[in-house]
Amino acid sequence: MIPQEHIWTGELNRRALGDGAPAPQKVGLYDTTLRDGEQTVGVALDPEQKLAIARAIDSLGIERIEAGFPRVSKDDTEAFRSIAAAGLDAEIWGFARAVPADVDALLEIGVHAAVIESPVSDGKLAAYGIAREELIRRVTTAVAHATESGVTVCFFGVDGSRADLEFLKRVYTEAVQAGAKEIAIVDTLGAVNPEAAALLTRSAREWVGDDIPVHWHGHNDFGLATAARAGAEWVQGTINGMGERAGNANLGEVALALEALYGIPTNLRFERLREVADLVQRTSGYELEPWKPLTGSTLFTRESGAVASQFHDPPAIEPYSSQLVGAPRRIVLGKKSGLDSIRIKLDELGLEKPQDEWPALLAEVKALGMRKHGLVSDDEFRELVDAG
């Protein structure tokens, strides 16, 4: 768990949850960066890159890593083999559609645990031209084939959040009867609010019983992927929230919300997250918002003079400590700076300037920031100090 001295969120969350709430249970993190995350437009990872990313994800304490979909290519099969042989602490999971060739591809490379997916909404079934009864046949056949061959199966109902609930109940029930040991509730299009996600998860638990672990797999099309964990024992997501369209749930953000806002433990090693997020970003070739939670480059950087006046007191201006993620805190100068910004920057750079000259220096900093439409660098600030 995050040390409580690093969390400064106040008392309202605890009061809203209720003092008499049962002790929180741990939530497991299931990473699908190497499969669903690679569906990000323009991302193509080779086996060496996938192995490096898998090692990095493992270092975060994430319990399960979905190493890929072997039938995509020979490279994906090679990557899967190398990850499975790497001696990682995380469980290595595979992925297959509910078709015989996909399951056989998993068996050929010795997969011991796998997600088996199938569309379950009428819209998806119509798009594929599959009737409901045929879908049931495919799911039960694939699940039974895998489980009878020693594979632990999590059945994954694609677009379940838009499916007919009675049919969804039947699919999950029959998948479990065919041998699935876990199920994933899937909001493929990020289409439900947190209340609906909770309703769907509660319903699924009633359908399959308390002995079947429930996963939540959500996407971020409405910006709610982090909010919609819905009471599941496992959350599926990716590093940096990468993925198709608006991306998947960001596992770092999910873990932070669980621990800091709900008091629910995860295994995530937050102090390593920025390093791993940077590796995945650079390897995949995309950019992230600098203000991104946990990993953003400007998350603990302050330009505002009003904020600089409180910079000595982190809980006054931040909801959690930069120490949690090993990030530097710093003041930068620009249009929005104040006199405290000047004081802090002079001290940081070991420069001297009489206090009665700070207002004029601040005016020059603001003017330069406006001319540049950006920040004033430390070297530029030194020049302004020397020129004055």
Side-chain angles (χ1 to χ4, degrees), residues 8 29 76 142 157 179 185 201 209 224 245 267 286 327 331 338 361:
W8 310 315
L29 302 178
D76 284 78
I185 307 301
T201 303
L224 293 172
R245 300 184 325 278
N267 272 351
Y286 56 78
I331 288 288
L361 180 57

Side-chain angles (χ1 to χ4, degrees), residues 22 38 66 79 82 88 102 104 113-114 139-140 158 171 175 185 208 211 241 281 322 330 334 337 355:
E38 196 185 18
E66 192 173 273
S82 64
L88 304 183
D102 284 11
D104 288 340
V139 168
T140 54
V158 176
V171 177
I185 307 301
V208 301
D211 294 335
Q281 176 186 348
S322 63
R330 64 191 185 112
S337 295
Q355 188 169 349

Side-chain angles (χ1 to χ4, degrees), residues 143-144 147 153-155 172 174-183 212:
V143 170
T147 57
V153 172
C154 173
F155 175 67
Y172 279 119
E174 296 210 22
V176 169
Q177 290 174 350
K181 299 300 184 185
E182 304 182 8
I183 62 170
I212 302 296

Side-chain angles (χ1 to χ4, degrees), residues 16-189:
L17 293 171
D19 292 332
Q25 296 181 343
K26 179 178 172 294
V27 170
L29 302 178
Y30 178 110
D31 184 275
T32 182
T33 299
L34 299 176
R35 198 273 304 172
D36 212 0
E38 196 185 18
Q39 292 183 211
T40 303
V41 173
V43 174
L45 303 171
D46 64 36
E48 292 77 16
Q49 291 172 323
K50 285 196 170 187
L51 177 58
I53 289 174
R55 291 185 188 279
I57 292 170
D58 188 55
S59 76
L60 290 173
I62 287 174
E63 295 95 333
R64 292 179 175 178
I65 297 173
E66 192 173 273
F69 181 13
R71 284 205 73 204
V72 169
S73 69
K74 290 182 179 180
D75 277 353
D76 284 78
T77 300
E78 179 186 339
F80 197 108
R81 290 184 188 278
S82 64
I83 293 168
L88 304 183
D89 291 328
E91 296 177 12
I92 305 304
W93 281 60
F95 180 89
R97 297 165 298 182
V99 298
D102 284 11
V103 175
D104 288 340
L106 294 177
L107 298 177
E108 286 172 10
I109 59 176
V111 172
H112 301 293
V115 160
I116 293 181
E117 73 151 26
S118 178
V120 292
S121 69
D122 288 332
K124 289 285 187 183
L125 292 178
Y128 285 116
I130 304 172
R132 283 185 173 187
E133 293 303 319
E134 172 62 13
L135 178 279
I136 294 290
R137 186 194 67 78
R138 291 187 185 189
V139 168
T140 54
T141 299
V143 170
H145 180 34
T147 57
E148 289 166 4
S149 300
V151 177
T152 298
V153 172
C154 173
F155 175 67
F156 184 102
V158 176
D159 205 23
S161 60
R162 299 193 302 166
D164 174 77
L165 287 184
E166 285 303 313
F167 180 65
L168 191 63
K169 175 182 178 179
R170 182 183 171 196
V171 177
Y172 279 119
T173 301
E174 296 210 22
V176 169
Q177 290 174 350
K181 299 300 184 185
E182 304 182 8
I183 62 170
I185 307 301
V186 188
D187 187 20
T188 302
L189 299 182

Side-chain angles (χ1 to χ4, degrees), residues 241-258:
M242 65 188 292
E244 193 174 15
R245 300 184 325 278
N248 288 261
N250 183 318
L251 283 183
E253 294 176 12
V254 169
L256 178 66
L258 286 170

Side-chain angles (χ1 to χ4, degrees), residues 248-328:
N248 288 261
N250 183 318
L251 283 183
E253 294 176 12
V254 169
L256 178 66
L258 286 170
E259 296 208 16
L261 302 182
Y262 290 91
I264 298 175
T266 74
N267 272 351
L268 195 74
R269 297 174 185 140
F270 290 93
E271 72 278 4
R272 293 193 50 80
L273 185 59
R274 290 171 73 91
E275 177 184 342
V276 174
D278 182 64
L279 169 68
V280 174
Q281 176 186 348
R282 287 185 287 103
T283 304
S284 301
Y286 56 78
E287 295 183 0
L288 292 173
E289 308 102 314
W291 48 79
K292 193 137 183 90
L294 280 169
T295 58
S297 61
T298 63
L299 191 59
F300 297 99
T301 300
R302 305 287 176 255
E303 181 187 354
S304 167
V307 174
S309 66
Q310 307 166 65
F311 193 69
H312 63 286
D313 186 11
I317 55 175
E318 295 158 5
Y320 53 87
S321 171
S322 63
Q323 295 179 32
L324 177 65
V325 291

